[in-house]
Amino acid sequence: MSRIEGKKYWTELQKGNVESLGKLYDLYADELFIFGMSVTKDKTSVMDGIHDLFLNLFKYHRTLGEVKNIKSYLFLSLKRTLHKKSKLKIITVDDTEILNSISTNDLNSPSCESNIINIEHSCFIKEKVNRAMNLLSQNQQEVLNMRYTEEQSYEEIAQTMSVSISSARTIIYRALKILRGGVLTVLFTFL
């Protein structure tokens, strides 16, 4: 579906059309879920947040205004909904992903020791990246996630964050600068 169809459904939702709410849900739910998982790793919270968002859209449909970018509006609304419900950090790296990717056959192979060393090294690096990420503000973490995980343009980021394009670029630049310094500091501290 196109942006034009999304705008059509939005206009119909403002009039109280329940079917349009369903169409908007179908159009954006998957992307909202992916975005929500970048805000918090709790699937249940994300799904609840999406449902709350759409329930509120219908509940307050009479007061909904015109929006230029429905997707950005929904992303921002979901982010606010999730932040109201919890104070979780945004980007974390989970060591269990690495451990789950290793089969029991790997433990019986001749290179078992090298696999264990690789796992420990990966866990070490991920821990350092997580510590460096904690040096960033929540806003900086979100912007980096939008840029590098969701591959959003600076224009989309600016619209979602309600800032100018140059401000979005500056936030990303400063976050990367902090990360570069933070990762090096954290690595040298623990080596």
Side-chain angles (χ1 to χ4, degrees):
M1 291 189 187
S2 69
R3 256 187 179 173
I4 295 169
E5 287 176 287
K7 288 252 186 207
K8 179 181 120 185
Y9 296 137
W10 185 263
T11 304
E12 290 298 312
L13 173 62
Q14 289 173 310
K15 296 175 187 173
N17 185 326
V18 179
E19 289 180 25
S20 293
L21 178 72
K23 296 284 186 183
L24 284 170
Y25 181 88
D26 292 341
L27 184 60
Y28 294 108
D30 291 338
E31 290 178 86
L32 285 167
F33 181 78
I34 292 167
F35 175 75
M37 289 301 292
S38 73
V39 176
T40 176
K41 298 298 180 195
D42 183 6
K43 266 187 187 178
T44 305
S45 294
V46 173
M47 292 186 324
D48 288 346
I50 292 169
H51 290 115
D52 289 350
L53 168 63
F54 280 92
L55 285 173
N56 286 333
L57 283 176
F58 190 71
K59 183 177 179 181
Y60 301 110
H61 70 271
R62 288 186 182 98
T63 60
L64 292 175
E66 283 299 314
V67 294
K68 291 181 182 176
N69 187 325
I70 295 167
K71 180 179 173 181
S72 294
Y73 176 87
L74 293 174
F75 275 34
L76 186 59
S77 297
L78 178 61
K79 180 181 82 170
R80 288 181 180 151
T81 300
L82 293 173
H83 286 304
K84 284 179 187 174
K85 292 183 175 214
S86 72
K87 299 292 181 192
L88 299 175
K89 290 289 180 192
I90 293 179
I91 300 174
T92 59
V93 183
D94 189 5
D95 295 336
T96 57
E97 292 172 16
I98 297 170
L99 297 174
N100 290 338
S101 68
I102 299 171
S103 69
T104 54
N105 292 336
D106 291 338
L107 296 175
N108 298 326
S109 69
S111 61
C112 177
E113 187 174 315
S114 64
N115 283 341
I116 292 171
I117 290 170
N118 287 338
I119 292 168
E120 287 177 354
H121 179 71
S122 294
C123 290
F124 175 79
I125 296 298
K126 287 185 178 207
E127 179 186 339
K128 302 314 158 223
V129 170
N130 281 336
R131 287 180 188 234
M133 288 299 291
N134 288 332
L135 298 173
L136 300 177
S137 70
Q138 197 165 3
N139 200 29
Q140 289 171 319
Q141 290 179 22
E142 288 176 39
V143 171
L144 285 180
N145 184 59
M146 284 187 256
R147 181 68 179 155
Y148 297 106
T149 304
E150 297 171 20
E151 299 178 355
Q152 290 187 17
S153 67
Y154 289 110
E155 292 80 11
E156 291 172 314
I157 294 168
Q159 201 164 30
T160 300
M161 301 300 291
S162 302
V163 297
S164 68
I165 294 170
S166 62
S167 293
R169 288 180 189 272
T170 302
I171 293 168
I172 290 170
Y173 168 77
R174 289 181 180 159
L176 291 174
K177 187 175 177 181
I178 290 169
L179 271 183
R180 284 184 196 112
V183 169
L184 290 176
T185 303
V186 170
L187 283 175
F188 287 128
T189 303
F190 291 98
L191 284 179

